[in-house]
Amino acid sequence: MTHEEHEFIVAQQDEYFRSMERKHENGQLTYEQFAKLSLKIAEWTQRIYEFEPD
């Protein structure tokens, strides 16, 4: 994975998290749903960093 690809994926995950955060703040997601999604995003991020470019 190139550095640019890595940065793109991280940026996409950040935007996804922020959109879920907004939904939670607007009452569209329960705290439990938001917590589960946050854990999933953390898992995805950890996997990406395993492939982090040198």
Side-chain angles (χ1 to χ4, degrees), residues 4 8 11 21 24 26 39 42 46-47 50:
E4 290 79 18
F8 176 77
E21 188 174 44
H24 172 64
N26 292 332
L39 286 174
Q46 182 178 1
R47 287 189 198 138
E50 291 172 4

Side-chain angles (χ1 to χ4, degrees), residues 8-54:
F8 176 77
I9 291 170
V10 170
Q12 291 293 336
Q13 285 183 315
D14 187 52
E15 180 55 34
Y16 180 73
F17 176 79
R18 289 176 191 272
S19 71
M20 293 300 110
E21 188 174 44
R22 285 189 298 271
K23 284 184 178 189
H24 172 64
E25 290 170 353
N26 292 332
Q28 295 171 308
L29 286 176
T30 65
Y31 180 78
E32 184 178 291
Q33 291 169 319
F34 180 67
K36 286 180 181 180
L37 286 168
S38 297
L39 286 174
K40 272 292 184 201
I41 292 169
E43 289 173 10
W44 296 335
T45 302
Q46 182 178 1
R47 287 189 198 138
I48 286 172
Y49 281 111
E50 291 172 4
F51 296 106
E52 186 174 300
D54 296 330

